Amino acid sequence: MTEKTFGPFELQKAYSTEPVPDDFVLRRRISTAMRTLSERVIRAEVDQATLQHWAEQLEAVVATVGEPERRDSKQANRKLFTGAATIEDLYHMMDFDPVSGGANPIAPQVTWVQEGQEGVEGTLRLGQQYQGPPGRVHGGVIAWILDAVLSRALHAAFRLGVTGTLNIRYLAGTPIEDTITCRARITGQEGRKIFIEGSIWHGDQQTVHAEGVWLTPKSLG
Ligand SMILES: CCCCCCCC(=O)SCCNC(=O)CCNC(=O)[C@H](O)C(C)(C)COP(=O)(O)OP(=O)(O)OC[C@H]1O[C@@H](n2cnc3c(N)ncnc32)[C@H](O)[C@@H]1OP(=O)(O)O
């Protein structure tokens, strides 16, 4: 049987409906453990002996992992654009994404509740490791997440592009350790320029507004 292949506009649907490849089941477990660890160790009130023990254990894991060879992600990207990406290629594109990628240990995990031409909406909870001012999410982390959320709105509307400009207005503090909602939608287009706006909400309160311009590459525009 020939292996199923996918193009750029099948990526999001296939990612949510196709079975997770076996290696990614394990990559996700590793990343979940690393994310949990990051959240638990930060500001942990423990004694010197405990810190010493943790440091030694973690250094041993790092030594065990060593410096493995890495797969070239450009190759998966190229295959995607010719409709020749396998499910493994697709996971190499999506699951290592620094926002929401299940196999990326630094990626905040967004639960997408809506993804379509009209826009996207997701919920997430950020731990202590993302704190800026006490109790609040760091502003740079907010920009990082919104870049991805606005990009997601672009992809959900079957368009491609890179961030050209991203403007952020911080309206109120965004809490850590509580559920927040992020939204984005395309508001207009002029040639290769696509205008997208987004927001972050804590309950009924909007804490952040973002607007930006995404540029479709010349080769596709
Ligand atoms: C595969 C998964 C991808 C996930 C992506 C997630 C989002 C990202 O993180 S993308 C990474 C961050 N962004 C980048 O690295 C982009 C770096 N910048 C570039 O590559 C280029 O500057 C690029 C593509 C934005 C623009 O270059 P180019 O296509 O040559 O633009 P150019 O032909 O000069 O201008 C075209 C139009 O866009 C406008 N424009 C150009 N640059 C920008 C910009 N940065 N912001 C807003 N408008 C711009 C120009 O004014 C021009 O407008 P008009 O037609 O009205 O005169």
Side-chain angles (χ1 to χ4, degrees):
M1 202 173 76
T2 48
E3 196 171 0
K4 254 190 188 173
T5 54
F6 306 90
F9 297 125
E10 294 161 313
L11 194 142
Q12 244 158 273
K13 182 158 180 258
Y15 185 56
S16 56
T17 55
E18 293 289 322
V20 181
D22 290 348
D23 64 323
F24 277 91
V25 171
L26 293 172
R27 290 177 197 278
R28 284 182 172 190
R29 274 179 61 190
I30 293 167
S31 296
T32 301
M34 289 172 73
R35 282 192 298 271
T36 307
L37 189 63
S38 302
E39 184 164 0
R40 293 202 186 161
V41 297
I42 199 159
R43 301 192 178 90
E45 296 250 23
V46 291
D47 58 26
Q48 191 71 11
T50 304
L51 289 173
Q52 172 85 22
H53 178 60
W54 290 352
E56 283 166 8
Q57 293 229 308
L58 288 169
E59 282 159 6
V61 174
V62 172
T64 303
V65 171
E67 293 184 35
E69 280 187 25
R70 262 182 252 283
R71 181 171 158 167
D72 176 9
S73 60
K74 283 188 187 143
Q75 188 205 33
N77 198 25
R78 271 195 296 272
K79 283 167 77 182
L80 194 73
F81 278 91
T82 57
T86 63
I87 190 70
E88 189 75 17
D89 295 322
L90 193 144
Y91 266 76
H92 272 265
M93 295 298 298
M94 299 291 280
D95 228 46
F96 294 128
D97 194 294
V99 175
S100 219
N104 187 329
I106 68 149
Q109 298 295 296
V110 180
T111 303
W112 298 102
V113 293
Q114 189 203 321
E115 288 186 87
Q117 307 249 22
E118 63 296 338
V120 296
E121 181 176 318
T123 59
L124 73 160
R125 181 195 160 282
L126 294 161
Q128 289 266 337
Q129 71 273 41
Y130 300 112
Q131 174 172 292
R136 296 176 171 195
V137 182
H138 190 283
V141 172
I142 283 173
W144 169 28
I145 290 166
L146 279 170
D147 185 29
V149 175
L150 272 63
S151 295
R152 192 102 178 177
L154 184 80
H155 299 147
F158 302 115
R159 304 197 206 175
L160 298 169
V162 291
T163 320
T165 297
L166 179 62
N167 290 319
I168 302 212
R169 189 165 177 131
Y170 298 91
L171 305 168
T174 300
I176 55 160
E177 299 183 307
D178 204 354
T179 301
I180 54 174
T181 301
C182 45
R183 301 193 174 106
R185 67 184 184 100
I186 294 176
T187 56
Q189 179 163 5
E190 282 171 22
R192 292 195 292 119
K193 291 186 291 189
I194 300 166
F195 301 90
I196 311 179
E197 71 171 17
S199 54
I200 293 185
W201 297 76
H202 178 230
D204 291 338
Q205 184 183 25
Q206 183 177 0
T207 61
V208 189
H209 174 78
E211 54 194 19
V213 185
W214 268 246
L215 273 288
T216 304
K218 283 193 178 101
S219 57
L220 299 174

